Amino acid sequence: MTQEKLLLIPGPTPVHPRIIQNLSLPTVSHVSPTMIEELKGALDNLKNIVFCKKGEAFIVAGAGTLAMEMALLNTVAIGERYLVLSQGYFGERMAQIGQSFGIEHDILQSSWGGAVLPEDLEQKLKDSTYAAIVCTHVDTATGACAPVKDYADIVSKHSSLFIIDGVCATGGIEERMDPWGVDVILTAAQKCFGTPPGLAILVFSEEAMAKRRTMGSIPAYYSDILRWLPIMKNPSKYFSTPCVNEIRAFFEGTRIILEEGIEERFLRHEKIARVFRAALSALGFSFFTQEPFLADTLSIVFYPEGIEDISFRKTLFGKGVVVAGGLGPVAGKVFRMGHMGNLSFSQVRFAVSALEDTLASLDYRFESGTGLKAAEKVLSAD
Ligand SMILES: *Cc1c(COP(=O)(O)O)cnc(C)c1O
């Protein structure tokens, strides 16, 4: 029998059995009372998770990239300009999406493994005006987590809308829409929510909704939130068939988050990140991301001397853990490890012991148990 692997890639993340079970519930009519209740339940839970009381939530078949496109097209008109705060890969994508539709942008690019500094944003906003400022919360290629609260404080002094790409953060790292004055959070099902891929997820503030209403027609049809709004308010209406089973699974995913408690969930992510960093450092690995920007949801890990990328990942796979290869300039020199979603401490212990077994198989010289001991020290603290 094929053994299930522990999926520690930067999404999709491990899917809890309760969510899998909900995914396999019957495919009901998309306009049935069951779907109405579950879609509305999922939307309400989603707003709670991102601390949005007013505003509107949207759950649409697609993935993170569709959510990026929807966020942009519904807030920035052709002829207006937006500013991208980019740590790397997904900031670049946000720029390309605008280019595809003829919407102009400026970009502030951070140093590698860091994020755009708040003072640089402040400076930029002194001499330019933007319809929206878009930032990546955690960049999956560089493992850098941006100071989004600091950005929000700065943007709130200007007229621009503030948009967060939270695909690798929402539901795992603090993001507070109303308290911080965030206008759009966009994300996807398969990262910190720990639900299967297949959904674009967005929450718009009242200000962002008001902006959309002033825009008239936009260069989008399926991506136009005003076509979806009536369905989100009353799912017995039809626009385009929602993915019923995926929504049932996502609803369960949001219940799991609220049962755990959102603050507790942030703390668990923070702790698990520290466990992995401690264990990996003790074993001789180091980190690509600059220290102040290390993300709680994934790590970009440099191999120690003598460990080769492909054989490491292949051996680790054999021990039951899947990690991803590096992207761009660090390809071959690092592996990328996701640690987000519904990861338990026992799964973390399993992963650390699989890392040790892998190093032992590759004849790497280290004291057996060093990683586990470092992990246990963090796990047992407070
Ligand atoms: C994964 C990711 C995306 C893209 O999501 P897809 O679901 O693969 O389209 C966008 N932004 C960030 C920050 C991501 O981590």
Side-chain angles (χ1 to χ4, degrees):
M1 194 184 105
T2 327
Q3 292 290 313
E4 191 187 329
K5 307 286 180 190
L6 179 61
L7 215 48
L8 297 186
I9 55 177
T13 58
V15 180
H16 192 283
R18 267 175 60 183
I19 297 170
I20 291 285
Q21 198 183 344
N22 267 56
L23 188 66
S24 67
L25 289 171
T27 302
V28 293
S29 156
H30 58 292
V31 292
S32 66
T34 304
M35 193 73 279
I36 295 171
E37 187 194 316
E38 300 205 3
L39 179 51
K40 284 186 92 66
L43 292 164
D44 284 345
N45 288 352
L46 173 61
K47 283 170 67 177
N48 280 330
I49 289 165
V50 299
F51 300 89
C52 177
K53 285 224 159 54
K54 295 173 183 157
E56 301 292 346
F58 299 89
I59 300 175
V60 172
T65 304
L66 177 67
M68 293 169 81
E69 188 168 304
M70 288 175 74
L72 188 68
L73 294 183
N74 286 281
T75 55
V76 186
I78 290 175
E80 292 181 325
R81 194 172 261 279
Y82 64 106
L83 176 68
V84 179
L85 310 181
S86 174
Q87 288 112 291
Y89 195 82
F90 285 106
E92 194 49 49
R93 177 166 295 184
M94 214 17 143
Q96 286 170 5
I97 292 172
Q99 280 166 353
S100 305
F101 291 92
I103 304 173
E104 309 234 325
H105 72 273
D106 288 336
I107 192 159
L108 276 179
Q109 175 63 55
S110 74
S111 58
W112 264 94
V116 172
L117 301 175
E119 47 267 39
D120 293 343
L121 170 61
E122 202 152 29
Q123 192 56 41
K124 188 82 187 160
L125 294 184
K126 279 195 181 127
D127 27 70
S128 311
T129 318
Y130 298 98
I133 317 290
V134 189
C135 74
T136 310
H137 194 163
V138 173
D139 190 284
T140 334
T142 68
C145 180
V148 288
K149 163 79 163 66
D150 296 344
Y151 296 164
D153 288 346
I154 294 166
V155 178
S156 66
K157 294 186 208 122
H158 297 263
S159 60
S160 317
L161 295 175
F162 182 49
I163 302 174
I164 297 179
D165 173 351
V167 180
C168 211
T170 310
I173 304 178
E174 191 178 28
E175 284 174 349
R176 299 175 197 269
M177 271 189 88
D178 291 350
W180 294 359
V182 178
D183 291 297
V184 180
I185 287 181
L186 70 97
T187 187
Q190 77 275 16
K191 300 208 182 167
C192 296
F193 287 90
T195 47
L199 294 174
I201 292 161
L202 301 106
V203 184
F204 276 60
S205 71
E206 284 186 306
E207 290 75 14
M209 291 304 300
K211 173 68 194 283
R212 170 64 193 94
R213 290 195 177 95
T214 66
M215 290 167 69
S217 83
I218 60 170
Y221 187 83
Y222 186 82
S223 292
D224 185 346
I225 55 166
L226 292 186
R227 291 188 200 279
W228 285 107
L229 188 61
I231 286 75
M232 299 299 141
K233 292 214 168 294
N234 176 4
S236 72
K237 293 190 175 160
Y238 169 75
F239 166 51
S240 171
T241 311
C243 43
V244 169
N245 298 73
E246 172 65 28
I247 289 169
R248 304 192 83 174
F250 182 73
F251 184 31
E252 184 67 2
T254 61
R255 277 188 296 231
I256 288 176
I257 294 178
L258 295 174
E259 278 171 30
E260 179 177 14
I262 184 74
E263 307 292 345
E264 288 76 8
R265 193 171 174 93
F266 296 151
L267 289 172
R268 178 174 52 78
H269 276 80
E270 191 265 337
K271 185 164 187 165
I272 287 177
R274 278 191 290 121
V275 172
F276 277 125
R277 283 179 217 140
L280 287 160
S281 305
L283 291 169
F285 293 88
S286 56
F287 301 94
F288 167 72
T289 312
Q290 296 171 28
E291 173 94 35
F293 301 100
L294 286 167
D296 290 341
T297 48
L298 90 154
S299 297
I300 315 293
V301 190
F302 274 120
Y303 293 112
E305 221 18 75
I307 296 294
E308 190 274 322
D309 180 38
I310 302 291
S311 56
F312 174 84
R313 286 191 284 130
K314 207 170 145 195
T315 312
L316 185 59
F317 183 84
K319 309 283 180 198
V321 176
V322 191
V323 295
L327 296 175
V330 288
K333 298 190 188 115
V334 298
F335 69 93
R336 294 182 306 136
M337 180 162 106
H339 31 79
M340 62 188 129
N342 294 315
L343 212 56
S344 67
F345 292 148
S346 54
Q347 286 172 317
V348 171
R349 287 190 179 91
F350 170 75
V352 173
S353 96
L355 283 164
E356 286 208 15
D357 290 351
T358 299
L359 293 176
S361 302
L362 297 173
D363 294 327
Y364 176 75
R365 286 180 55 153
F366 72 108
E367 197 184 321
S368 169
T370 320
L372 280 167
K373 215 165 106 193
E376 222 46 64
K377 199 169 156 203
V378 179
L379 280 167
S380 61
D382 47 68

